[in-house]
Amino acid sequence: SAETRALYAQAFDMPEEKILLTGIPRIDAILHAGEEENRARLLDAYPALKEKKILLYVPTFRTAGLPDLDAMDACIDHDRYELVVKLHPLDAEKLRKQGKSFDRYPEIPTLRLMTVADAIITDYSAISIEASLLNRPVYFYLYDLSEYLTERGLNFNPLTEMPDCAFCDFPSLFRRIDAGNYDFAALAAFRKRFVETCDTQNTERIVSLIFNHLEAPSLA
């Protein structure tokens, strides 16, 4: 999008006009993900999930520490909800070294789970943008916001820009999910802000650009 183009131009110290708004192939993959087929496959493999709402937690990688998954799990009403955790592979490895694992569905890729989740919880990850493409309710769990701001900084602060679905404590976040009435208009505005190529021609645009505007290397 125009907004992310400005961010990339700043990051790479180059003129904005050199950043092309083509979209990325992953957008095509997300929009072709196959919601109904994925849900049927999941419920066939795990029939107990038919009576539950799936909350998918996908946090970004952290250089130090991990979210308190036990405390999060304790907040959930397990009669009505299933908390599915998909950590960054490096964070998942940290957890395995502690003899723990919260991934009850290791064989199911994150994208497939995103298509069937009733809500997606993340933090500073681009997963929030991907989830918005699927029109899934997105929530932000920002328990370490002050530390993250100091260490890495943010281009987008969900706590100030999407306050109705951003929380620093998980009990409040879960109560908000349980209350329902998600603001899909705010989600649509968020999606429009970060993705201007919300279609399935992203790969085609990139390939066309390469063939039409770049010279082929000499084979001589």
Side-chain angles (χ1 to χ4, degrees):
S1 67
E3 180 159 338
T4 53
R5 172 168 60 188
L7 298 173
Y8 276 112
Q10 181 182 21
F12 289 102
D13 191 22
M14 63 191 301
E16 284 192 29
E17 59 267 20
K18 288 183 177 285
I19 309 293
L20 306 180
L21 302 186
T22 63
I24 59 174
R26 185 160 175 80
I27 295 174
D28 299 347
I30 292 168
L31 296 178
H32 281 304
E35 175 184 343
E36 293 184 6
E37 178 186 356
N38 288 337
R39 178 170 287 277
R41 291 168 63 185
L42 178 68
L43 296 182
D44 184 58
Y46 299 97
L49 291 177
K50 291 180 180 178
E51 307 302 323
K52 295 185 178 183
K53 292 184 177 180
I54 298 172
L55 307 182
L56 177 62
Y57 178 46
V58 194
T60 192
F61 169 70
R62 284 168 168 76
T63 54
L66 289 170
D68 190 340
L69 299 174
D70 289 303
M72 292 175 61
D73 198 52
C75 292
I76 300 297
D77 179 352
H78 292 283
D79 290 332
R80 296 186 296 123
Y81 293 92
E82 177 79 356
L83 179 63
V84 179
V85 178
K86 285 289 184 179
L87 297 176
H88 185 282
L90 294 177
D91 281 337
E93 181 61 25
K94 292 179 192 175
L95 205 61
R96 279 193 290 271
K97 288 180 179 178
Q98 298 174 16
K100 299 179 181 179
S101 175
F102 272 83
D103 191 348
R104 303 184 181 100
Y105 311 94
E107 77 284 8
I108 306 177
T110 300
L111 177 54
R112 190 182 303 169
L113 284 167
M114 286 172 61
T115 66
V116 301
D118 294 282
I120 296 171
I121 305 166
T122 185
D123 39 34
Y124 323 108
S125 170
I127 285 285
S128 59
I129 301 173
E130 297 182 354
S132 74
L133 289 167
L134 294 166
N135 206 37
R136 292 294 183 215
V138 180
Y139 295 89
F140 299 88
Y141 179 34
L142 311 171
Y143 66 92
D144 59 350
L145 178 61
S146 59
E147 292 87 347
Y148 202 91
L149 279 168
T150 301
E151 180 183 349
R152 296 197 174 195
L154 291 173
N155 294 318
F156 169 82
N157 188 336
L159 196 63
T160 57
E161 299 186 57
M162 294 188 72
D164 288 341
C165 56
F167 301 86
C168 292
D169 67 286
F170 194 75
S172 297
L173 189 155
F174 178 70
R175 286 194 294 271
R176 181 67 184 86
I177 292 175
D178 199 38
N181 301 317
Y182 188 80
D183 188 351
F184 283 98
L187 184 67
F190 171 76
R191 177 173 58 248
K192 184 177 181 180
R193 177 177 177 180
F194 289 104
V195 183
E196 293 180 17
T197 59
C198 191
D199 56 42
T200 55
Q201 281 79 52
N202 292 273
T203 305
E204 182 180 335
R205 270 192 297 272
I206 294 170
V207 172
S208 176
L209 178 74
I210 292 171
F211 278 96
N212 292 333
H213 296 281
L214 298 181
E215 290 183 3
S218 174
L219 300 179

